Amino acid sequence: MKIKDAEIISLMQDSRTQEKGVRALMDAYQSRLYWHIRRIIVDGDLAQDTLQETFIKAYQNFHQFKNDSQLYTWLYRIATNEALQQVNKLKKMQKSDEDPEYHMQNLIADNTEGSAEEIQILLQNAIQSLPEKQKLVFMMRYYDDLPYEEISKIVDMSVGTLKTNYHYAKQKIEEYIKENYER
């Protein structure tokens, strides 16, 4: 039985049922949020930790949920912010030989599975090379199939700016794949 957002919100707002509400919130959104975070943070363990932080922040700040957007929009915004904070921490700690480009090139070099997997790796590499805003917009639109209006609420950007960022991201990804795909 899938629980509706209205029920989760009601459970979360009542201190007697808040624990049940947190479990319902996690059951309803854990998978979607994990994959959203995972596309920003490539490391699975770090993505899992970031997901946990997302739910902790949602629990601690549920009183700030104003019900003026959908629950998943609010959660995606928290997850996005948490993931970006992790990326920024990693960038500060990262050494030059540990950048995503280096690891992606090694994956391509080790790839013996064939062209479909190689293109998928190239796509991930291309996405990682995008500027942060374009990367976020592209992933939310392409992978999560979110409408521009929802993305606008998550990243606090106008719909027109989002469409422009998505267009440029697609262009850059296509160019990257064309330039780096060896047949």
Side-chain angles (χ1 to χ4, degrees):
M1 181 180 102
K2 188 160 179 156
I3 190 166
K4 293 186 169 41
D5 283 355
E7 295 173 60
I8 294 172
I9 292 167
S10 176
L11 290 169
M12 291 290 293
Q13 289 174 335
D14 186 343
S15 61
R16 294 171 297 177
T17 59
Q18 199 169 31
E19 188 177 319
K20 184 177 179 183
V22 170
R23 282 196 302 270
L25 184 73
M26 291 175 72
D27 288 344
Y29 293 104
Q30 188 165 353
S31 181
R32 286 173 71 190
L33 289 174
Y34 172 79
W35 288 108
H36 170 66
I37 292 167
R38 183 68 192 267
R39 285 187 283 275
I40 298 170
I41 301 172
V42 180
D43 179 80
D45 291 334
L46 187 55
Q48 189 66 40
D49 291 345
T50 305
L51 177 66
Q52 295 302 321
E53 284 299 316
T54 298
F55 283 119
I56 290 169
K57 288 263 171 78
Y59 171 75
Q60 291 173 338
N61 298 300
F62 199 80
H63 63 280
Q64 294 178 351
F65 178 66
K66 304 213 182 334
N67 219 1
D68 58 354
S69 65
Q70 293 185 12
L71 187 56
Y72 80 85
T73 303
W74 184 71
L75 290 169
Y76 265 51
R77 184 175 210 154
I78 295 170
T80 300
N81 289 337
E82 287 297 310
L84 289 176
Q85 285 178 1
Q86 286 297 334
V87 167
N88 288 335
K89 284 180 192 174
L90 287 175
K91 283 181 182 176
K92 288 177 184 173
M93 295 177 358
Q94 206 169 40
K95 293 183 174 64
S96 62
D97 66 329
E98 301 232 347
D99 68 9
E101 185 89 19
Y102 174 80
H103 290 293
M104 293 307 277
Q105 286 172 349
N106 284 343
L107 283 173
I108 291 169
D110 294 343
N111 178 21
T112 58
E113 290 296 310
S115 65
E117 186 175 335
E118 184 177 352
I119 290 174
Q120 187 60 30
I121 290 169
L122 277 171
L123 174 61
Q124 292 306 313
N125 198 11
I127 291 170
Q128 292 303 317
S129 73
L130 292 172
E132 208 61 48
K133 285 182 182 177
Q134 289 177 9
K135 185 190 313 183
L136 276 176
V137 172
F138 181 81
M139 290 188 303
M140 287 186 209
R141 185 83 175 129
Y142 181 80
Y143 288 113
D144 298 326
D145 199 27
L146 292 175
Y148 287 113
E149 292 75 19
E150 291 299 318
I151 298 171
S152 173
K153 292 175 185 173
I154 293 168
V155 297
D156 198 25
M157 235 187 270
S158 74
V159 172
T161 302
L162 291 173
K163 288 181 179 180
T164 301
N165 275 298
Y166 184 73
H167 173 76
Y168 285 131
K170 278 191 348 186
Q171 245 177 359
K172 288 177 184 177
I173 288 169
E174 288 172 10
E175 289 170 12
Y176 186 95
I177 290 174
K178 285 178 188 173
E179 288 173 9
N180 292 285
Y181 182 64
E182 297 173 18
R183 293 177 192 202

